Amino acid sequence: MATKTKTIKIAKGTSPKAAKKAKAKKTPAGKMSQMAAAERVLAEAGEPLNCKQMVEAMATKRYWQSPGGKTPAATLYASILRDLRTGEFDVLVGIN
């Protein structure tokens, strides 16, 4: 059975500079949050990415690293769904 991956697109016209400024929530230690890092990675990529690709890109670019969790992509996916429902993650257009 083939598995489907869901990709996430950024809003048209969103630049990496805008993603940096757009709700760059910081953690108390001054590190970028997982959601802020996801917004930045999506804006810089300029193409749809799935959660696993975003987590890998965040780690590669050192924006955010998992604090030892086993499923950071699942955590990111759950956070994105939650924020889409509340309208907080406005850089996203939708999930395919």
Side-chain angles (χ1 to χ4, degrees):
M1 179 185 340
T3 58
K4 291 184 178 180
T5 58
K6 298 184 180 202
T7 55
I8 302 168
K9 300 185 281 187
I10 59 170
K12 206 171 205 173
T14 304
S15 68
K17 206 175 222 182
K20 275 185 189 178
K21 293 179 183 179
K23 291 188 217 170
K25 298 177 187 174
K26 299 284 183 173
T27 59
K31 295 181 180 179
M32 192 178 291
S33 71
Q34 185 182 35
M35 291 298 289
E39 287 183 29
R40 190 168 174 185
V41 165
L42 280 171
E44 290 174 356
E47 63 184 10
L49 299 173
N50 63 38
C51 290
K52 186 174 181 180
Q53 292 169 329
M54 283 191 280
V55 170
E56 290 169 358
M58 288 185 271
T60 302
K61 295 179 181 186
R62 297 181 182 248
Y63 296 151
W64 179 88
Q65 289 191 356
S66 175
K70 293 183 180 180
T71 57
T75 304
L76 177 61
Y77 184 73
S79 298
I80 290 170
L81 288 179
R82 182 191 63 235
D83 287 358
L84 282 173
R85 276 187 239 123
T86 62
E88 292 180 26
F89 203 53
D90 58 358
V91 175
L92 294 178
V93 171
I95 298 175
N96 293 333

